[in-house]
Amino acid sequence: MSLVCAISNEVPEHPCVSPVSNQVFERRLIEKFIAENGVDPMNSQPLSEEQLIDIKVSHPIRPKAPSSTSIPAILKALQDEWDAVMLHSFTLRQQLQTTRQELSHALYQHDAACRVIARLTKEVTAAREALATLKPQAGLVAPQAMPASQPAAGGAGGEPMEVSEQVGMTPEIIQKLQDKATVLTTERKKRGKTVPEELVRAEDLSKYRQVASHAGLHSASVPGILCMDLCPSDTNKVLTGGADKNVVVFDKKEEQIIATLKGHTKKVTSVIYHPSQSVVFSASPDSTIRVWSVTGGNCIQVVRAHEASVTGLSLHATGDYLLSSSEDQYWAFSDIQTGQVLTKVTDEAAGVALTCAQFHPDGLIFGTGTADSQIKIWDLKERTNVANFPGHSGPVTSIAFSENGYYLATGAQDSSVKLWDLRKLKNFKTIALDNNYEVKSLVFDQSGTYLAVGGSDIRVYICKQWSEVLNFIIHTHDHSGLVTGVAFGDNAQFLSSAGMDRSLKFYSL
């Protein structure tokens, strides 16, 4: 219901009521009438502006003009309303598009910020681990700086001896190596050719079958165990290195993991268990060698001997020094207590990457394999290359010295295993394997009676006759089942293997 002015008969903008006639007026009109006449227009009674009473109402709704009641006027009004709605809708769509773009930009910035935060967090964690590792060893700076100066010091004549002397191959160390070799040689002569009574016979070894398999040691997301080793003093303790960058110590007897050691930034390709201490060693393409405490579960030393992937690792018989080989073409001899590189040598004439390294049981000579299929024998005291064994084709993948000190077994990417006599410096036996057979691991048992070959399958040969005693495929048939490591237990009481299928397996009667 609308109020109507008694004078204009229209809806008033500012309505007020007269107490004299009780009529509603437009304030503007009644004030003008009172100013001229001084009375109420309805009953002519005296009336003043002060007597008028304002009426408080919501915004008045004016009736449409009579012209708006025609059909064309209504259609035009509807058209105007439609146009207004369309313009408003267009404006809203523009605002929505702008808001979407702003939201997309904000989400992109948020995602970028999250990635930056994740990267920084990872870098901080790595820096903290490195700091924790470096704190106990103040003398690690020198070994890191050494490799950069070595090539210049070596000269063009292939004489890295100058560098070696500067690094610290002291007479005391050389004497220590000589004394240990003398003791080991004497012990070997005492043993003679007698075979331990506890050693498993060939006919029993041929009956070995799988008795246990463990697949949960390493990450399933990055599958593959790339290397393994047994503790010489307790072969129930197994050491593995995986593609997941972790080193794992496993107890065969208890069937449980003792320690998972994390610190490498790339896959672990070589591992060694110390024979008398609760210490293990690992090497990786991240160009570092790490020394770990099994009991503490932490890295106690980082040896930075190389500038490229570390491809081979071997522990000296004294238990105090490590031999390493690398794609940077150098082999290095390092002190595990200080992390210092004592000597570092390359064959500058060859100029090829080293693929593996192994100490002779006496520790005065060692062998390295190269990417151009050569096996090089080195004299550790003199740091010189004393013999070369050509014959393979393709990079050398594994080398192993027999405990008798006379035999050297080598494998390469030519599907063969070659046996060399170190006394005559010649190849006396070549074991031809199947086509495309990949040799990944070679190992003699502690008595030098058996040779195990790991790769596309597992094979065991009896030395001297070099006849096959055992041949089985336990890991899966495809490349994921490639055997990357094989090892004998005490007196060959059991055989163990690790493979790309992430499993650690044990075999016995």
Side-chain angles (χ1 to χ4, degrees):
M1 178 180 177
S2 300
L3 298 176
V4 179
C5 176
I7 297 175
S8 64
N9 287 323
E10 292 183 357
V11 177
E13 290 184 9
H14 301 288
C16 62
V17 65
S18 168
V20 176
S21 62
N22 295 326
Q23 293 292 322
V24 176
F25 300 97
E26 171 68 63
R27 175 172 277 280
R28 174 175 51 79
L29 295 178
I30 190 63
E31 285 179 348
K32 191 176 290 186
F33 188 87
I34 292 172
E36 293 177 359
N37 303 300
V39 294
D40 188 299
M42 295 292 105
N43 55 15
S44 300
Q45 294 293 324
L47 180 64
S48 63
E49 291 183 14
E50 290 77 15
Q51 290 179 284
L52 296 174
I53 302 171
D54 287 325
I55 300 175
K56 293 183 178 180
V57 294
S58 59
H59 186 70
I61 302 174
R62 291 178 174 274
K64 292 185 180 296
S67 61
S68 299
T69 58
S70 65
I71 290 177
I74 292 173
L75 290 175
K76 184 179 184 306
L78 290 173
Q79 183 65 52
D80 293 341
E81 289 286 345
W82 172 259
D83 293 344
V85 169
M86 289 299 100
L87 290 172
H88 185 62
S89 175
F90 175 73
T91 304
L92 289 177
R93 284 200 303 272
Q94 281 187 320
Q95 292 177 347
L96 176 61
Q97 183 64 23
T98 303
T99 304
R100 280 178 172 168
Q101 289 178 345
E102 292 176 352
L103 178 60
S104 175
H105 185 65
L107 289 174
Y108 175 78
Q109 286 182 322
H110 178 267
D111 183 58
C114 288
R115 281 187 275 112
V116 170
I117 291 170
R119 178 175 57 80
L120 292 176
T121 301
K122 186 176 179 180
E123 290 178 358
V124 168
T125 303
R128 283 178 176 165
E129 289 180 357
L131 180 62
T133 302
L134 293 174
K135 271 184 178 179
Q137 295 87 30
L140 285 180
V141 179
Q144 293 177 13
M146 217 174 353
S149 63
Q150 274 188 325
E159 296 181 353
M161 303 311 109
E162 296 285 332
V163 177
S164 300
E165 295 298 339
Q166 294 172 10
V167 173
M169 198 71 171
T170 63
E172 290 79 9
I173 294 175
I174 294 175
Q175 187 59 47
K176 183 178 180 181
L177 301 178
Q178 183 62 59
D179 293 344
K180 184 65 175 180
T182 303
V183 171
L184 292 172
T185 303
T186 303
E187 291 178 353
R188 185 177 299 109
K189 287 180 178 179
K190 285 183 179 178
R191 288 197 301 269
K193 297 182 180 180
T194 59
V195 176
E197 294 181 4
E198 300 84 0
L199 185 69
V200 174
R201 294 177 300 173
E203 54 266 31
D204 293 330
L205 186 64
S206 64
K207 299 175 184 177
Y208 274 16
R209 295 294 178 266
Q210 179 181 320
V211 294
S213 177
H214 305 278
L217 276 67
H218 290 269
S219 170
S221 60
V222 189
I225 300 176
L226 305 181
C227 49
M228 70 168 294
D229 191 30
L230 302 183
C231 178
S233 57
D234 181 3
T235 52
N236 282 316
K237 293 179 180 177
V238 185
L239 178 66
T240 62
D244 60 356
K245 310 174 190 176
N246 295 341
V247 178
V248 174
V249 183
F250 181 78
D251 191 312
K252 169 181 173 288
K253 188 176 181 180
E254 299 295 330
E255 296 190 342
Q256 65 181 12
I257 294 174
I258 299 174
T260 299
L261 310 169
K262 300 182 179 181
H264 281 293
T265 57
K266 293 184 180 180
K267 61 186 179 181
V268 179
T269 53
S270 301
V271 290
I272 296 177
Y273 213 122
H274 198 285
S276 59
Q277 301 176 24
S278 186
V279 170
V280 298
F281 311 92
S282 62
S284 165
D286 64 10
S287 74
T288 66
I289 301 163
R290 289 180 177 262
V291 184
W292 308 87
S293 167
V294 177
T295 52
N298 63 310
C299 179
I300 56 176
Q301 188 69 266
V302 178
V303 181
R304 302 183 188 276
H306 299 283
E307 296 178 342
S309 297
V310 182
T311 55
L313 209 56
S314 184
L315 183 66
H316 191 268
T318 58
D320 297 329
Y321 306 104
L322 269 178
L323 170 69
S324 57
S325 60
S326 170
E327 289 181 359
D328 65 5
Q329 304 177 14
Y330 282 83
W331 60 261
F333 185 67
S334 308
D335 188 322
I336 65 172
Q337 300 299 326
T338 63
Q340 292 181 331
V341 181
L342 301 179
T343 185
K344 186 173 176 182
V345 178
T346 183
D347 184 346
E348 295 182 354
V352 293
L354 302 183
T355 56
C356 51
Q358 184 70 41
F359 270 119
H360 183 272
D362 290 346
L364 290 182
I365 62 171
F366 62 89
T368 59
T370 68
D372 65 351
S373 71
Q374 293 276 330
I375 294 96
K376 295 180 178 291
I377 306 300
W378 299 80
D379 183 310
L380 179 58
K381 293 193 296 181
E382 300 298 328
R383 280 86 77 196
T384 54
N385 180 203
V386 294
N388 291 320
F389 294 151
H392 279 293
S393 59
V396 178
T397 55
S398 182
I399 61 176
F401 286 95
S402 171
E403 182 58 34
N404 66 16
Y406 303 142
Y407 297 146
L408 170 65
T410 61
Q413 291 182 6
D414 55 5
S415 302
S416 71
V417 174
K418 290 184 179 291
L419 284 307
W420 311 83
D421 190 321
L422 298 176
R423 296 165 293 186
K424 300 177 183 178
L425 299 179
K426 69 175 185 178
N427 172 222
F428 67 89
K429 177 72 177 178
T430 298
I431 302 174
L433 304 172
D434 307 333
N435 287 336
N436 300 319
Y437 189 102
E438 295 185 59
V439 180
K440 292 294 183 181
S441 178
L442 294 172
V443 62
F444 286 93
D445 76 302
Q446 292 90 334
S447 68
T449 305
Y450 301 113
L451 170 66
V453 180
S456 300
D457 56 22
I458 301 172
R459 305 183 182 198
V460 178
Y461 297 87
I462 186 167
C463 298
K464 296 185 179 179
Q465 294 94 335
W466 305 110
S467 57
E468 190 177 281
V469 177
L470 188 63
N471 181 345
F472 47 55
I473 300 174
I474 297 294
H475 296 266
T476 55
H477 291 265
D478 57 3
H479 182 73
S480 67
L482 198 65
V483 178
T484 53
V486 62
F488 286 101
D490 282 331
N491 296 309
Q493 295 290 333
F494 69 88
L495 188 67
S496 60
S497 69
M500 291 302 293
D501 60 357
R502 204 168 56 93
S503 65
L504 174 65
K505 298 180 183 292
F506 297 97
Y507 319 93
S508 64
L509 289 173

